[in-house]
């Protein structure tokens, strides 16, 4: 089922990315003393990326790197300090209203219980969005029951139940169904499976793969589990302290990590092989304070390959191959770094 089959616009054309984020910035002001300088938390600081139609972009990084803030910017839950979001060829705020954006972009959160209204039945929760947007109540209920069947919950058994009567995996299926009731083209999944046990997690991941195929969906999948990200993602974006440090195809990044931070993340993955146990921590220390981030490359304070140039200058984004980009002085022949290729 394509976007046109659902009656949705495809204004950018098939070759145009569904989403273009350009130099996205989100700074949160910090309360200071009466005479102290005004400071901000640089949660997202100049992030640029694209999401192609029908692909899954995985987003990874340590806690506090800006993954969830970027997701909330994408759906308009928080206002950007700067930058542009272009959805299907239309710029948010100039050509596209927030209301129109939310018809095409939906989000599934980590806490499946807190995301649902405890006073609404499962059918009412899924039908709520369409009804608010003018769909006839009878048709909204039909949509809800059809989606319940699609997400693997028998409408005859589950339509009249309340959230507290469902398991965590079942509630998350309902949240997915509720998002799909709005006929979105992009679904943002913010740690949507991390609270589930492994067997249920696998079922939900398979469901997401089936729904992506059946509804011609595009996903932005945020997770701390690199194995899960590899399973579901086409491309991978690695964030550190509010910036993108590396982006490329999932398979390319799993085979070769160009940025030292990406390599550290992958080295920390647990292994079932006792001979491949991690004995030395791949990364020491905590991320720096986002209120006062380090100069130059923000990773230089924890990087084993850091040189003077890393603290002095912000690295340029270098293209290593088709779609594989990294922001690191070691891959820039003009940077002056000792390990830079000539």
């Amino acid at each position: 089922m394509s976007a046109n089959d659902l009656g949705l616009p495809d204004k950018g054309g098939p070759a145009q990315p569904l989403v273009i984020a350009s130099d996205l910035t989100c700074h949160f002001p910090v309360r200071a003393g009466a005479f102290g300088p005004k400071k901000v938390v640089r949660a997202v600081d100049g992030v640029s990326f694209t999401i192609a139609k029908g692909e899954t972009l995985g987003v990874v990084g340590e806690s506090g790197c800006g993954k969830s803030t970027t997701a909330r910017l994408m759906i308009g839950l928080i206002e950007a300090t700067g930058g542009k979001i272009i959805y299907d060829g239309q710029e948010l705020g100039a050509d596209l209203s927030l209301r129109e954006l939310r018809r095409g972009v939906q989000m599934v959160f980590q806490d499946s219980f807190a995301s649902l209204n405890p006073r609404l039945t499962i059918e009412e929760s899924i039908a709520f969005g369409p009804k608010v947007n003018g769909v006839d109540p009878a048709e909204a209920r039909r949509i809800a029951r059809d989606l319940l069947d699609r997400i693997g919950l028998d409408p005859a058994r589950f339509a009249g139940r309340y959230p507290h009567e469902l398991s965590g995996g079942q509630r998350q299926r309902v949240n997915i169904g509720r998002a799909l009731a709005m006929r979105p083209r992009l679904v943002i999944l913010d740690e949507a499976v991390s609270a589930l046990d492994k067997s249920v997690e696998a079922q939900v991941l398979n469901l997401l793969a089936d729904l992506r195929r059946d509804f011609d969906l595009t996903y932005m999948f945020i997770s701390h589990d690199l194995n899960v990200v590899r399973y579901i993602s086409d491309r991978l974006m690695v964030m550190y302290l509010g910036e993108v440090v590396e982006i490329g195809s999932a398979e390319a990044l799993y085979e070769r990590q160009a940025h030292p931070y990406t390599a550290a993340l992958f080295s920390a993955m647990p292994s079932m092989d006792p001979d491949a146990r991690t004995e030395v921590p791949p990364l020491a220390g905590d991320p720096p304070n986002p209120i006062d981030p380090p100069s130059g490359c923000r990773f230089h304070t924890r990087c084993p390959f850091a040189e003077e140039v890393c603290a002095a200058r912000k690295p340029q984004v270098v293209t290593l191959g088709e779609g594989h980009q990294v922001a690191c002085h070691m891959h820039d022949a003009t940077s002056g770094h000792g390990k830079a290729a000539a």
Side-chain angles (χ1 to χ4, degrees):
M1 188 180 295
S2 68
N4 291 331
D5 294 331
L6 293 172
L8 300 175
D10 193 7
K11 299 178 181 178
Q16 171 87 10
L18 182 62
V19 174
I20 302 173
S22 177
D23 201 26
L24 272 187
T25 304
C26 183
H27 295 169
F28 297 108
V30 178
R31 181 175 296 183
F35 303 103
K38 293 183 178 180
K39 294 187 176 182
V40 294
V41 175
R42 299 175 179 271
V44 175
D45 212 14
V47 167
S48 299
F49 61 91
T50 63
I51 307 177
K53 294 181 176 77
E55 81 164 343
T56 298
L57 176 68
V59 185
V60 299
E62 289 174 296
S63 296
C65 71
K67 305 187 299 294
S68 293
T69 303
T70 301
R72 283 158 174 76
L73 289 172
M74 296 295 298
I75 199 171
L77 284 179
I78 53 179
E79 187 176 353
T81 307
K84 293 190 297 186
I85 296 174
I86 299 174
Y87 172 79
D88 196 23
Q90 295 181 298
E91 183 181 342
L92 178 63
D95 313 307
L96 188 71
S97 70
L98 192 57
R99 183 181 180 87
E100 290 171 324
L101 175 73
R102 288 180 179 169
R103 287 177 182 170
V105 183
Q106 288 290 301
M107 191 164 178
V108 179
F109 297 91
Q110 177 178 357
D111 192 335
S112 62
F113 189 73
S115 300
L116 294 171
N117 187 332
R119 297 184 178 183
L120 296 181
T121 65
I122 299 310
E123 180 183 81
E124 290 168 340
S125 289
I126 297 177
F128 183 81
K131 284 197 291 186
V132 167
N133 282 273
V135 176
D136 180 75
E139 174 63 12
R141 286 195 299 272
R142 188 200 64 77
I143 292 171
R145 286 181 171 262
D146 178 64
L147 283 170
L148 277 171
D149 188 54
R150 292 271 193 149
I151 60 177
L153 298 177
D154 181 8
R157 293 178 53 206
F158 290 94
R161 294 190 185 184
Y162 289 87
H164 72 272
E165 299 178 278
L166 273 61
S167 68
Q170 290 170 338
R171 285 195 296 265
Q172 201 62 299
R173 286 172 181 263
V174 172
N175 281 311
I176 293 168
R178 188 180 59 166
L180 295 184
M182 296 300 295
R183 290 183 164 186
R185 299 182 64 189
L186 172 65
V187 178
I188 301 173
L189 301 136
D190 188 4
E191 301 280 8
V193 298
S194 62
L196 308 177
D197 65 54
K198 286 301 175 184
S199 61
V200 177
E201 177 184 80
Q203 294 171 13
V204 173
L205 288 173
N206 289 331
L207 171 67
L208 289 171
D210 292 341
L211 293 173
R212 174 186 168 188
R213 180 193 64 238
D214 295 343
F215 288 91
D216 194 22
L217 295 171
T218 302
Y219 289 148
M220 182 177 181
F221 189 88
I222 299 169
S223 179
H224 64 276
D225 190 329
L226 292 172
N227 285 313
V228 170
V229 171
R230 182 178 191 179
Y231 174 78
I232 199 170
S233 301
D234 300 305
R235 287 193 305 135
L236 206 59
M237 182 169 78
V238 184
M239 294 186 67
Y240 181 78
L241 210 63
E243 296 182 339
V244 176
V245 296
E246 189 167 3
I247 189 167
S249 74
E251 289 305 315
L253 263 66
Y254 273 82
E255 290 175 6
R256 173 180 176 244
Q257 302 90 44
H259 198 282
Y261 176 66
T262 309
L265 286 181
F266 279 76
S267 297
M269 288 174 60
S271 173
M272 298 298 291
D273 184 358
D275 294 328
R277 288 179 297 182
T278 302
E279 297 182 359
V280 179
L283 193 59
D286 296 321
N289 190 341
I291 297 175
D292 187 22
S295 60
C297 174
R298 293 186 176 180
F299 186 61
H300 83 264
T301 57
R302 305 169 73 192
C303 181
F305 308 107
E307 297 182 3
E308 287 185 13
V309 66
C310 300
R313 251 187 5 252
K314 184 176 180 177
Q316 298 294 316
V317 176
V318 179
T319 300
L320 303 180
E322 186 177 353
H324 190 176
Q325 296 181 317
V326 62
C328 180
H329 288 303
M330 291 195 296
H331 297 279
D332 181 0
T334 64
S335 68
H337 193 286
K339 290 185 175 291

